Amino acid sequence: GPYWAAVMYVARGDTMSASGLLNTGGNIGGLIATPIVAWLSGRQAWTTAFVIGSVFALAGAAAWLLVDPSRQPHPSRANPG
């Protein structure tokens, strides 16, 4: 989807590393969220579970707004070759 296209556009030469980081972040989010949602649902707090999920989704969207795709990597950090 559009997330992967954005990663390819922004990361350019480091697309595979950035894709791995994006994929790992999504999996860690699912790992952390599962017990939290289970605990909240056991207490009939579904609204709280959805609010927490929405806050994290909005924070992720806001973080994307901080990405500057026109910025070039620093020469000392660029991959050799």
Side-chain angles (χ1 to χ4, degrees):
Y3 300 110
W4 301 111
V7 168
M8 288 172 33
Y9 180 73
V10 171
R12 294 182 180 95
D14 294 323
T15 298
M16 299 309 286
S17 296
S19 296
L21 184 63
L22 184 69
N23 194 32
T24 301
N27 289 330
I28 289 174
L31 181 71
I32 293 170
T34 301
I36 294 171
V37 170
W39 182 76
L40 289 170
S41 67
R43 286 160 179 68
Q44 305 299 320
W46 282 103
T47 303
T48 304
F50 284 112
V51 168
I52 291 172
S54 299
V55 166
F56 278 103
L58 290 172
W64 268 109
L65 294 174
L66 299 175
V67 173
D68 181 10
S70 65
R71 191 173 134 205
Q72 296 296 317
H74 192 274
S76 64
R77 295 182 185 167
N79 289 337

